[in-house]
Amino acid sequence: MKQLFFLMGMLVVSAGVLAQERQRISFDEGWKFHLGDATDPHRDFNYTIGNILAKTGDAANTCIKMDFDDRDWTPVSLPHDWAVGLPFNHVHNGDVDAHGYHAVGALFPENSAGWYRKAFMVDRKDSGKRFVIQFDGIFRDSKVWVNNCYMGGHFSGYSGAAYDITDFLRYGGKNVIVVRVDASQYEGWFYEGAGIYRHTWLNEFDNTHFALNGGVYVHTASKGEDAEVTIETNIEGSGAETVSASILDRKGEMVAKGDGGATIALTVKKPVLWSLENPYLYRAVVLLHSGGRVIDSQTVRFGIRTVTVDKDKGLFLNGVPVKIQGVCCHQDHAGVGSALPDYLQYYRIGLLKEMGCNAYRTSHNAPTPELLDACDSLGMLVLDETRLLNSGAEYGADFEQQILRDRNHPSVFMWSIGNEEWVIQYSVTGKLIAQHQIDRQRRLDPSRTCTYAANVGNVWHGVNEVIPVRGFNYNLGGLDAYRKEHPDQPIMGTEVASTVSTRGIYIKDTVNAYVPDYDSVAPPWASTAEFWWRIAAERPWFMGGFAWTGFDYRGEPTPFQWPDINSHFGIMDMCGFPKTVYYYYQSWWTDKDMVHIAPNWNRTGKEEGKPVAVWVNTNAENVELFLNGKSLGKKEMPRNGHLEWMVPYTPGKLEAVAYKKGRKITAVEETTGEAYRIVVSSSSGGGVTVYNCAVVDKQGKEVPDAQNLLHFSVSGGARIIGVGNGDPSSHEADQYPEGGWQRHLFNGKCQVIVQSTGAAGPVVFTVTGEGLVAAQMKAGGGQ
C-alpha cells in the first residue's frame, strides 16, 4: 500500500508495491483555515474583486494563488465545522432560531464564508495515473481550485463532490488545493454547521477504472439454501479485458469466485445472513484486468439478506417479521457539531441498539458514509432519505449519486424521496416529481423500494397516489381510515411521537426553557411515545415507525425559543444521556430485564411533603413501590404502558420491586449528599474516546442534580475536540481552541470527546473541580 507522510507541511505520496491498483488516500490532515466574509470582498481576500474567471490559472492575487502566504492561518484537521465554535447571537429571525442561534448565515457575513488551503506532493512515478479529489460533504456552496486553476463548485451541503485534478498537478513538486465555502444560505431548518465537515480523499487509479461512484454494485437474491450474488460494474476508459471477483467471508476465506464481463453472478453456499442480531458481512474483491495485469480493484462490504414488504403483514427481514422500532436523527453531536469523528457514529448507534431501536431514518438528507458503515456493522436498518423532493438537474443528480453511493449497504432497507413538501405534495406537480424520482430509484436500485414522509393524514392526492409505501408523519388519527380506503398500499410511520422533555428536569420551567422529563408533553401536531407505540403495536399491517428524534439536536428549539438553543425532542440528549422516555421504549422494544424510576429523589427542604409524580417503566408484569421500606401499593403493568404514583416527598430511598416471569427486578432512587468526588467512564474506538463525567457523594452515590463546573485536560498523544452536557439552554462554549477546557455538569452529567493526535506517549485524561476530589483516567481504562 502507499505510505503517507508529512514533510514541511506538504503531503507526500510515494509509489508502493501495488501501484497498479486503486489507492484511496485520506486527505484530512495538513489543512489551513481562515474565515473570509460573505459580503465584504476586502475581508474575503479580494474574492469577487479580481477577475479569476478570465484566464485559466490566473488567480488575481487572492488566497487562491499557490504562493499565497498562509502561515498565520489556523491549522485544522478534517472533518471540520467552524460554526460550532461561533458565539450565540439572540436575534429575532426564524432561520437563526431554527439553526440554534449560532452567528452563522446571511445575517452574519463575517462568519459565513471560510477558506481552506492544503499543500501536497505527488510522486513523479505516478504521473501516468488519474487523480480525483473527493469531498464527502461540505456545508455549503463550495468552490475548488488546484494550482491556481478552477476545478468546479457544488451547491449542496449534503451530497459529495469529486474533481479530476490530473491535468493540473505538478508531479514531484508542490501542489496547492484551495476551497472556498459559503454557508450564508441555509438548506434546512435545523443546525447544519459550516465547512468541510466530512472526510476528504485523494483517489488514484488507472486511466481505465471502475467509476468512482457506483463503479461496483453488489446485490443478492436467495436461491434455495444458497444465495446468488450479482456484481455489476461500470467501467470508465478503454482497454480493459475482463473482470474477476472473489467473495470472502468474515474470516477472510474465499467462498466464491469467478470472472467474466461487466456483470458476474456467483453462488454462495448456505450463507450466513445479515440480520439485526447477527450483522454478518462478506467482502467482494473485484479486479479489473488488462494485458494480463490488474489495473483496478474495488473491495465492497456487503450483506446477504432479503427485505420484503407486505401490505397486510408489514416488513420482513430474511422472511422474519420485523416491526420498525425506529428513530429519526439529525447528524450533529454535542461538542463537535456536524464534524463527527467516525467512532461517534458507532457510539450513537450502539446507544440506540441498547434502547431496542432497530431502524434509523437519515432526517432529512444523505448521511455521511461512516454512519452507514456503523449500521452495517452493528445491525441497524436505515431509511435513507434525500434532502429534497425535486427531480430537477441538481437535486435529481444528488439523488442519483446518493443511491449509487449507498446501495451496497445491507443496512439500507428502503429509500425516502423526500419529507413534508407542503407546497407541492398535494399537487399534480408533486405527483410528477415523485414519479420521476421513483423511476430513478427503480432504475438504479431495483432491489429496494421507496417511501415519502407525508404530513397530510388521510390524503391520497399528489405524491401519495404513486408512492409504493405510504409514509405517515404524525396524523395517526387518520391511519385506520386511510388503510380502509387504500388496503393495497403498505403503510409505515416515517415520523411519529415528538415527546419534548429535558433530562433531569421534572417541572415546567419557562424561564430556563425546560420541559418535564416525562413522556407527557408533545406539540399539538405530534403525540407522546406511548400514544404512537400503542397504535403501532396493535396493527400488524402498520410496519412501525420512526420516533422524532433519537437524540436532541441543535436548532429547532421546541416548545420554547431563546434561551433554548436546541430541540427537546430527543429520546436522549445531545450527549446521548438517556431521558425518561428512553426507558419507556427500552421496556417495550427489548426483552431484557429492566425497571426504571423517574424522577431522582433529591429535593430541597422546602419541597418535603409535597406530592411528586413518580413514573415507573418496566416490561415486568407488576410493580410494587416502596418509600423508606413502606409499600405505596402494587400495580399491574399495562401492555405498552407505564405506571404512576403520586408520592409525598420524604428524603430517603424510593424502590421499585417488579416481577417478570417469577424473577425479581429492582430499581432504586436515593437522596444523596453533596458532590464529593468526580467519576469518569469512557468508551473508545478509532482513535477517539468519549469520556462521560459525573460526581458522587461520600457514600459513592451519584449526585443526579449536580451542576458543578469541571475543568478538563489531556496529556500525551491526544487532544480534546469538544465538550457538552445536554443542557438545551446552555450558552457555554463547545470548543476552547486556546485551551482552558471546561463545562458545567447539567443534572449530574457532562461529556468530553478526545481524539488521538498520533503522537507518542501515554494519554492521561484529568478532570478537576473546586472542592471535588479529581479524577484521572489513562487511555484504555482505569482511574
Side-chain angles (χ1 to χ4, degrees), residues 492-554:
M492 68 191 301
T494 38
E495 189 171 317
V496 291
S498 286
T499 295
V500 286
S501 59
T502 309
R503 177 182 60 80
I505 299 292
Y506 301 98
I507 60 171
K508 184 177 181 179
D509 182 347
T510 58
V511 174
N512 293 300
Y514 296 147
V515 195
D517 191 7
Y518 301 105
D519 181 27
S520 59
V521 181
W525 39 264
S527 71
T528 62
E530 189 168 324
F531 177 86
W532 94 265
W533 181 244
R534 285 179 181 269
I535 290 174
E538 295 167 0
R539 290 161 174 78
W541 47 266
F542 188 46
M543 281 190 280
F546 296 86
W548 188 264
T549 53
F551 303 85
D552 282 345
Y553 54 91
R554 285 173 175 77

Side-chain angles (χ1 to χ4, degrees), residues 80-236:
H80 176 244
D81 175 3
W82 84 69
V84 71
L86 293 175
F88 297 101
N89 192 305
H90 180 210
V91 300
H92 297 289
N93 175 276
D95 275 328
V96 174
D97 294 354
H99 284 77
Y101 297 100
H102 277 294
V104 66
L107 294 179
F108 310 99
E110 70 280 7
N111 294 331
S112 298
W115 291 87
Y116 295 85
R117 287 174 53 91
K118 177 184 174 74
F120 64 102
M121 292 181 68
V122 179
D123 200 299
R124 291 182 184 275
K125 297 177 182 179
D126 294 331
S127 60
K129 302 301 173 64
R130 301 218 68 79
F131 289 86
V132 175
I133 187 75
Q134 176 185 349
F135 297 94
D136 285 347
I138 302 175
F139 198 88
R140 183 185 178 272
D141 193 9
S142 57
K143 311 290 186 206
V144 179
W145 293 263
V146 170
N147 295 342
N148 300 346
C149 298
Y150 180 60
M151 298 293 99
H154 192 66
F155 80 106
S156 173
Y158 297 104
S159 61
Y163 305 96
D164 189 324
I165 62 175
T166 308
D167 296 345
F168 306 91
L169 290 174
R170 301 182 180 186
Y171 298 95
K174 176 182 176 181
N175 296 274
V176 176
I177 183 169
V178 180
V179 182
R180 183 181 187 271
V181 182
D182 190 337
S184 300
Q185 178 63 62
Y186 301 127
E187 202 167 338
W189 51 97
F190 38 85
Y191 179 85
E192 298 178 278
I196 310 177
Y197 74 100
R198 293 181 181 174
H199 290 304
T200 300
W201 309 93
L202 181 62
N203 297 279
E204 177 193 349
F205 35 65
D206 192 272
N207 286 289
T208 301
H209 55 269
F210 298 121
L212 182 64
N213 195 30
V216 176
Y217 174 31
V218 181
H219 52 98
T220 68
S222 59
K223 193 178 179 181
E225 291 186 338
D226 304 329
E228 183 173 79
V229 179
T230 301
I231 300 171
E232 300 181 34
T233 62
N234 178 17
I235 301 167
E236 296 179 345

Side-chain angles (χ1 to χ4, degrees), residues 410-714:
S411 57
V412 176
F413 78 103
M414 192 179 296
W415 305 99
S416 170
I417 66 170
N419 170 74
E420 296 187 359
E421 296 283 357
W422 53 72
V423 176
I424 61 168
Q425 63 188 353
Y426 307 94
S427 67
V428 173
T429 299
K431 176 181 176 180
L432 292 173
I433 293 172
Q435 286 177 316
H436 195 135
Q437 298 295 71
I438 293 166
D439 290 344
R440 179 177 264 124
Q441 180 261 299
R442 287 172 173 165
R443 172 173 55 83
L444 297 173
D445 181 22
S447 71
R448 296 178 177 88
T449 189
C450 63
T451 187
Y452 164 74
N455 59 331
V456 296
N458 185 15
V459 172
W460 170 252
H461 303 297
V463 177
N464 289 338
E465 293 180 58
V466 295
I467 198 70
V469 177
R470 168 64 207 275
F472 265 77
N473 279 19
Y474 315 105
N475 297 288
L476 297 184
L479 190 64
D480 291 332
Y482 189 91
R483 163 72 176 176
K484 184 176 181 180
E485 294 171 15
H486 310 287
D488 295 327
Q489 190 178 40
I491 301 175
M492 68 191 301
T494 38
E495 189 171 317
V496 291
S498 286
T499 295
V500 286
S501 59
T502 309
R503 177 182 60 80
I505 299 292
Y506 301 98
I507 60 171
K508 184 177 181 179
D509 182 347
T510 58
V511 174
N512 293 300
Y514 296 147
V515 195
D517 191 7
Y518 301 105
D519 181 27
S520 59
V521 181
W525 39 264
S527 71
T528 62
E530 189 168 324
F531 177 86
W532 94 265
W533 181 244
R534 285 179 181 269
I535 290 174
E538 295 167 0
R539 290 161 174 78
W541 47 266
F542 188 46
M543 281 190 280
F546 296 86
W548 188 264
T549 53
F551 303 85
D552 282 345
Y553 54 91
R554 285 173 175 77
E556 205 169 19
T558 306
F560 305 109
Q561 293 181 318
W562 186 269
D564 185 4
I565 56 155
N566 65 251
S567 83
H568 289 75
F569 293 120
I571 299 167
M572 291 173 273
D573 69 18
M574 289 196 63
C575 298
F577 298 133
K579 304 180 189 179
T580 299
V581 70
Y582 178 100
Y583 300 100
Y584 170 78
Y585 285 115
Q586 189 180 63
S587 64
W588 302 116
W589 284 4
T590 76
D591 193 39
K592 63 180 66 178
D593 291 352
M594 63 80 59
V595 60
H596 179 266
I597 301 171
N600 65 64
W601 211 237
N602 277 7
R603 297 290 180 280
T604 66
K606 294 179 181 179
E607 295 175 277
E608 193 161 346
K610 293 184 179 180
V612 177
V614 174
W615 286 38
V616 175
N617 289 112
T618 183
N619 49 21
E621 288 94 14
N622 53 66
V623 178
E624 189 170 7
L625 191 67
F626 294 86
L627 177 59
N628 296 328
K630 180 181 178 181
S631 176
L632 302 179
K634 184 176 183 179
K635 297 185 179 183
E636 298 299 309
M637 174 61 70
R639 183 69 182 168
N640 298 313
H642 73 284
L643 294 174
E644 293 185 39
W645 283 261
M646 290 301 297
V647 180
Y649 178 69
T650 302
K653 179 179 178 181
L654 190 66
E655 182 177 20
V657 177
Y659 286 89
K660 179 182 177 183
K661 299 177 182 178
R663 297 188 301 277
K664 182 180 179 180
I665 315 167
T666 63
V668 173
E669 290 290 336
E670 290 188 80
T671 307
T672 72
E674 296 295 319
Y676 170 71
R677 179 169 58 88
I678 301 167
V679 294
V680 181
S681 62
S682 68
S683 179
S684 61
V688 169
T689 301
V690 178
Y691 291 101
N692 292 327
C693 305
V695 290
V696 297
D697 65 11
K698 289 186 176 181
Q699 284 70 48
K701 294 181 290 187
E702 187 170 315
V703 183
D705 55 352
Q707 313 288 337
N708 303 71
L709 177 63
L710 303 185
H711 302 271
F712 316 107
S713 63
V714 62

Side-chain angles (χ1 to χ4, degrees), residues 309-370:
V309 174
D310 186 278
K311 62 183 178 62
D312 298 316
K313 298 179 181 179
L315 182 72
F316 288 79
L317 178 62
N318 301 325
V320 178
V322 174
K323 184 73 81 171
I324 296 173
Q325 299 170 176
V327 295
C328 306
C329 290
H330 286 307
Q331 61 179 1
D332 62 308
H333 188 88
V336 294
S338 294
L340 274 67
D342 295 350
Y343 176 67
L344 271 183
Q345 308 291 352
Y346 291 81
Y347 180 77
R348 286 160 63 94
I349 296 300
L351 294 174
L352 292 170
K353 289 275 291 186
E354 181 69 18
M355 184 181 76
C357 176
N358 63 16
Y360 185 110
R361 176 182 172 221
T362 67
S363 314
H364 306 284
N365 50 263
T368 189
E370 292 72 32

Side-chain angles (χ1 to χ4, degrees), residues 22 66 80 104 192 458 486 521 727-728 734 738 744 749:
R22 172 182 303 239
M66 291 183 67
H80 176 244
V104 66
E192 298 178 278
N458 185 15
H486 310 287
V521 181
D727 181 354
D734 290 283
E738 305 302 322
H744 282 88
K749 297 182 184 298

